[in-house]
């Protein structure tokens, strides 16, 4: 077949060159997966002293790409000087990933998230904003401004502005507007490329809340003295780094954030940042008819609901994150009040799992055994804790639904329903 017969094919696919033109197939950069490991590799390259880098290089670059685009954040960290170009230290694929994560529409916050080794999904924007605020509070780089009205700069750039604005918008809208959540699912936990929220987004979906908590915790650490950011993130999200029983420090984020910003302090700082937003454009218009008592009520509700959801309650990873198979047949909804609740220790896996990939693999193995060997509709649990005090809870069977099995089929010690 001659290329001359189909000139449109040449134009669309670039698979056949006209004589003498030298046209070659298009070459696209290899984009790393949306995993925290990819981010750490990028930060390693940016911070390399041999390439003129420093601990503040990545944070300043992130702000230039859009990690700090809200009025309150820019009041704290300042306006970016210019739109950055790709640093020579980064490959085209790394640069494409970084710009995609940080330069996106606020209406689609899921595009700015990466999968962490502990199984959590982390928004990169509030994480980097907290890191920059921490570095500058610790004396690295330009000092942070004194805010008037006063507000905690670290909490402002990570969580309190987003939290206050979200609840203020929800209060002024209809009853269908949500102020927190939802969670979401990755297309492939081994090679994450696309993340999809499980419902209508709020301004603070789960990845933003998690990124904000991590940004606040790590920013507070950096305020005590600068560290290479890549090293800090590798230690925080990695495993086997000397923490309790091999747990990554990120699995303690709820405890550590609660110690840093308990509900009372969070309420105070949400109210403070809303008063700051009165003085800034365009949020001054949003707060024009909102009185002091209404601000206090918004701050109280925001801090209470955030603390209940993200600090006091354990993390629950949805079925889609550990790669669950579909339920077989038609599930039967549970009807409260329940006659009994069983807490059961699994026989397998016998070894504890301390990484998300290992725990997800164990969940898939249990579901495969229950469905293929036992012949049940689904895994015989509603919720599963892979290891006491480890990575949180796994959402096992469909929530609120009974998987078809009987204790007589399995033996009392093998599998029993665990309803939480």
């Amino acid at each position: 077949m001659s290329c001359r017969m189909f000139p449109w094919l040449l134009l669309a696919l670039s698979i056949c060159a006209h004589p003498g033109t030298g046209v070659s197939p298009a070459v696209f950069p290899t984009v790393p997966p949306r995993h925290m490991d990819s981010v750490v590799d990028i930060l390693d390259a940016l911070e390399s002293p041999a390439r003129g880098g420093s601990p503040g290089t990545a944070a300043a670059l992130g702000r230039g790409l859009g990690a700090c685009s809200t009025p309150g954040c820019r009041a704290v960290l300042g306006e970016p000087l210019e739109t950055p170009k790709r640093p020579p230290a980064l490959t085209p694929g790394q640069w494409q990933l970084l710009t995609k994560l940080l330069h996106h529409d606020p209406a689609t916050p899921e595009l700015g998230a990466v999968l962490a080794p502990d199984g959590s999904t982390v928004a990169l924007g509030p994480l980097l904003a907290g890191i920059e605020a921490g570095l500058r509070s610790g004396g690295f780089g330009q000092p942070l401004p004194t805010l008037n009205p006063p507000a905690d700069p670290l909490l402002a750039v990570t969580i309190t502005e987003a939290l206050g604005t979200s609840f203020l918008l929800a209060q002024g809208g209809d009853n269908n507007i949500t102020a927190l959540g939802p969670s979401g699912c990755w297309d492939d936990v081994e090679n994450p490329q696309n993340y999809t929220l499980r419902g209508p987004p709020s301004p603070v979906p789960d990845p933003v809340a998690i990124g904000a908590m991590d940004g606040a915790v790590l920013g507070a650490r950096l305020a005590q003295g600068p560290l290479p950011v890549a090293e800090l993130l590798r230690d925080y999200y990695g495993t086997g780094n000397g923490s309790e029983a091999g747990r990554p420090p990120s699995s303690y984020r709820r405890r550590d954030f609660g110690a840093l910003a308990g509900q009372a302090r969070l309420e105070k700082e949400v109210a403070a940042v809303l008063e700051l937003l009165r003085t800034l454009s365009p949020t001054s218009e949003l707060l024009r008819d909102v009185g002091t008592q209404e601000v206090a009520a918004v701050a109280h509700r925001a801090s209470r609901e955030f603390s209940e959801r993200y600090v006091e309650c354990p993390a629950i990873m949805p079925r889609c994150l550990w790669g669950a198979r579909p339920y077989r047949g038609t599930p039967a909804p549970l009807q409260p009040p329940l006659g009994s609740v069983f807490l059961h220790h699994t026989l397998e896996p016998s070894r504890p799992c301390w990484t998300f990939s290992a725990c997800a693999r164990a969940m898939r193995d249990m579901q495969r055994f229950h469905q293929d060997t036992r012949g049940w509709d689904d895994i015989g649990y509603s919720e599963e804790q892979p290891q006491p005090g480890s990575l949180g809870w796994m959402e096992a069977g469909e929530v609120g639904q009974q998987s078809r099995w009987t204790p007589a089929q399995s033996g009392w010690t093998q599998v029993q329903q665990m309803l939480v």
Side-chain angles (χ1 to χ4, degrees), residues 22-45:
V23 177
S24 59
V27 177
F28 298 98
T30 301
V31 180
R34 286 172 58 184
H35 197 279
M36 188 60 73
D37 291 346
S38 302
V39 175
V40 172
D41 289 341
I42 289 172
L43 297 180
D44 256 334

Side-chain angles (χ1 to χ4, degrees), residues 34 97 100-102 104-105 108-114 194-195:
R34 286 172 58 184
L97 175 64
K100 180 181 179 181
L101 290 172
L102 295 175
H104 62 272
D105 187 343
T108 55
E110 66 273 15
L111 298 183
V114 296
N194 298 294
Y195 182 76

Side-chain angles (χ1 to χ4, degrees), residues 69 95 137 196 339:
S69 59
W95 181 243
S137 294
T196 305

Side-chain angles (χ1 to χ4, degrees), residues 274-295:
L274 287 176
E275 293 300 338
L276 174 66
L277 294 178
R278 285 189 193 276
T279 68
L280 304 174
S281 177
T283 47
S284 57
E285 185 65 23
L286 179 65
L287 287 150
R288 183 179 59 182
D289 299 323
V290 180
T292 303
Q293 289 185 343
E294 191 173 354
V295 164

Side-chain angles (χ1 to χ4, degrees), residues 27 56 64 165 183 216 226 285-286 330 363 367 393 401 408 420:
V27 177
T165 303
S183 62
E285 185 65 23
L286 179 65
T330 302
M363 293 293 291
Q367 185 189 38
W393 291 86
Q401 296 170 348
V420 225

